[in-house]
Amino acid sequence: MLVDAIRHRLGWWMDNPLLRKELRQRMRSGRTVLALSLYLFIIGAVAFVFMYVNVQGQTLLLQPTRTADLFTFLSYLQLAMISFVTPGIASGVISGERERQTLTVLLTTPLSPASIIFTKFVTSISFLLLLIVMTLPLYSIVFLFGGVVPSQVLAVFGLQIVTLGAIASVSIFWSTWLRRTGWSTVFSYATVGAFFLGLAVAGYLSDNIANHSPDQGVWGMVSGICYSLNPIYMQASLEASLGFASPVFHQSIVSSVFSVVQSHDLSSTESWLSFLYLYLGGSALLLVSCIWRLRPGTFTVLRKRLARWILR
Amino acid sequence: MITTENLCKRYGKTDAVRDLNLDVRAGTVFGFVGENGAGKTTTLSILATLMLPTSGRAFVGAAEVTTDPAAVRRMIGYMPDVFGVYDDLSVREYLAFYGTAYGVTAALIEQRTKELLNMVSLEEKADDYVNALSRGMQQRLGLARCLMHDPPVLILDEPASGLDPRSRIEMREIIKGLRQRGKTVLISSHILPELADMCDEIGVIKRGALVACASVEVVTARANGHRQICVEVLAGGLAMADTLARHHFVSEVLTCDETRVDLLFAGTERDQAELILDLAAAGYQLKTFREVGGNLEDLFLHLTSEEQAAEQTASALAGSAAGQMA
């Protein structure tokens, strides 16, 4: 019975009309083709220049450690792309429907608010996932020269997908709760900025206070929490634990990130659990609040159904 | 088919809908008339499960909108007064999207798309993008969209708003066709004559309350025999209103003040001429005596709420008498 229910659900998702419509519309847009081409071109050019500078035109000079550097560099570029592009795509998914005056009609169909929100979530991240998948052949250059194995690439991609999902959830949250896409976009970028830059600054300040305060333990813990909730540091933590810390990044921002990871032991289980709790749990909570907000009485109906089911 | 019981919707201190009791029988076209802000859209939104009522209940068929909204949604086709369309979708894909959302099978979607596009005269536009259609075409497509899952009930909120005269006539003809298909239609408008042509029953909503409800035959029969007349005098309008109220062919004094009286006149033009002579003989210094094109809904409102109007006139006359005595 459970298997049938799951099969039915999966079948519905495969045949989800909103998902098909959204994907069809997105892929028909000329901007999509342009964005995909531009992104591939930029990543390709960056990869080429990075390699060229490192080997001075002599491919045989490329060493496995250098390809690990290239991978680290590309992965940070991709994280930056995720943090910039995701709010732009996801912050208008519901408010845009409201502004185009298509939401009212959508809400009178039997599509549940949950299915609408999850479909919007999936379609928001699908474009970014496509970008990530498209760059895999570029990443495979690093496999050619050794130094990185596919499981390491997948681990970093996994972390980026969790981050992507969280940013999409935050953007959908603002898009559902605020009426205007303009405001939703501003708040989405502000939230992402707070997590990426705000937490880094807060961590840095806490570190400085800890160095001059008798209460070092508390401030050290605060800075550790700030860093462990920041995807930039957690990606460095993951890459450091995979053995990617490299001499090429000495004197750079990335090397300072890696040194913070080591000094705060961000590879610890506690750091990873707090990161995953916040990003996965927080995303789920935000999406549930969107479902509640999208159509009034959704949970009233569910509560009544549950009560009826219990009484039966 | 559509019933509301003491339906109320309150926004802060404002009552958008007040104790609304509505009963739309199956297979009828019910016109919901009222000026802008009267509460039409709020009522229709509650029936379309887009809004929860503050109190009271609303049913579509046997399903209550707050406790079984999913069943209500399957039974209704809702067309809001203003709605948008998706970019980069063809007319065919647009209808297919909504058909699939309602769980209509692919074969049936194809068949209904053909039928409905034919019904709304858009068969030649089937492969055009919906955002490239004119406003009138989009409205007709919206109506076709409402019918994709073949619902027994249609809730149409001002379907002809913003359309040019030709598109309005086309839309009216399509809605008349829906009656032939046995659909129950609840249609709102702020223009009564527009509805009178296609509805079986008409309800008038004013400041959130249903103030009148009657069949179209009653409305038109009562309205057709009356003309709204405006009489302006130099002075003594209130006393003249008293005289007019007792006149044989004056069915009702609508409003009155010291210089102007508006009334409903049920007589012929000859009777009208006699009335002018009578007023002049009674010493009233007439400035104008003219027929005014009062809209049908105002007329309908006055005809169907005679008690209220009579009370208002009586109180105005009593007030003037007290003033004269003082």
Side-chain angles (χ1 to χ4, degrees), chain A residues 39-256:
Chain A
Y39 181 65
L40 263 186
F41 177 77
I42 291 170
I43 292 282
V46 166
F48 175 78
V49 169
F50 191 93
M51 286 175 76
Y52 188 82
V53 167
N54 275 287
V55 301
Q56 301 296 316
Q58 295 174 49
T59 322
L60 286 175
L61 284 177
L62 195 68
Q63 297 162 358
T65 49
R66 295 272 170 87
T67 58
D69 294 341
L70 173 63
F71 175 76
T72 308
F73 187 75
L74 285 179
S75 66
Y76 268 100
L77 196 67
Q78 189 147 283
L79 187 64
M81 182 272 294
I82 287 170
S83 62
F84 274 111
V85 180
T86 314
I89 291 176
S91 62
V93 291
I94 298 296
S95 52
E97 290 261 3
R98 205 178 277 130
E99 284 170 346
R100 282 195 306 271
Q101 294 167 323
T102 47
L103 187 64
T104 328
V105 174
L106 195 62
L107 289 175
T108 54
T109 65
L111 294 172
S112 66
S115 72
I116 292 172
I117 291 292
F118 283 117
T119 306
K120 293 288 186 184
F121 175 74
V122 170
T123 50
S124 302
I125 64 170
S126 65
F127 180 68
L128 272 301
L129 286 177
L130 179 63
L131 284 182
I132 292 173
V133 170
M134 265 175 44
T135 52
L136 273 175
L138 276 171
Y139 279 96
S140 64
I141 292 171
V142 297
F143 300 140
L144 290 177
F145 299 97
V148 181
V149 292
S151 59
Q152 292 172 323
V153 176
L154 289 178
V156 174
F157 275 24
L159 174 86
Q160 292 191 341
I161 289 169
V162 170
T163 309
L164 162 63
I167 297 174
S169 304
V170 165
S171 305
I172 293 172
F173 170 80
W174 289 123
S175 183
T176 311
W177 282 85
L178 300 175
R179 301 195 75 81
R180 296 276 165 209
T181 303
W183 282 112
S184 161
T185 308
V186 168
F187 276 80
S188 301
Y189 277 111
T191 313
V192 171
F195 270 82
F196 277 73
L197 301 177
L199 283 175
V201 171
Y204 176 76
L205 291 176
S206 303
D207 264 346
N208 275 334
I209 295 169
N211 289 338
H212 300 95
S213 160
D215 227 357
Q216 277 191 0
V218 175
W219 285 106
M221 195 179 72
V222 170
S223 66
I225 291 170
C226 289
Y227 290 130
S228 65
L229 298 181
N230 191 326
I232 297 172
Y233 290 89
M234 293 317 280
Q235 182 167 306
S237 155
L238 182 64
E239 289 175 355
S241 64
L242 294 171
F244 285 172
S246 126
V248 167
F249 290 119
H250 276 318
Q251 313 291 324
S252 68
I253 296 174
V254 179
S255 72
S256 72

Side-chain angles (χ1 to χ4, degrees), chain B residues 214-242:
Chain B
S215 72
V216 166
E217 287 79 16
V218 170
V219 177
T220 45
R222 296 188 77 173
N224 285 341
H226 295 76
R227 279 175 295 147
Q228 192 173 332
I229 303 281
C230 166
V231 188
E232 285 180 305
V233 284
L234 291 177
L238 293 170
M240 186 177 72
D242 196 21

Side-chain angles (χ1 to χ4, degrees), chain A residues 25 28 97 100-101 108 295, chain B residues 82 84 86-88 93:
Chain A
Q25 275 182 287
R28 272 184 187 168
E97 290 261 3
R100 282 195 306 271
Q101 294 167 323
T108 54
R295 185 153 52 202
Chain B
V82 184
Y86 293 110
D87 297 342
D88 301 322
E93 288 166 345

Side-chain angles (χ1 to χ4, degrees), chain B residues 65-93:
Chain B
V65 292
T66 52
T67 54
D68 200 0
V72 172
R73 277 178 220 126
R74 291 195 179 277
M75 289 179 74
I76 63 164
Y78 174 65
M79 185 168 155
D81 51 348
V82 184
F83 66 94
V85 290
Y86 293 110
D87 297 342
D88 301 322
L89 273 190
S90 72
V91 167
R92 199 187 296 279
E93 288 166 345

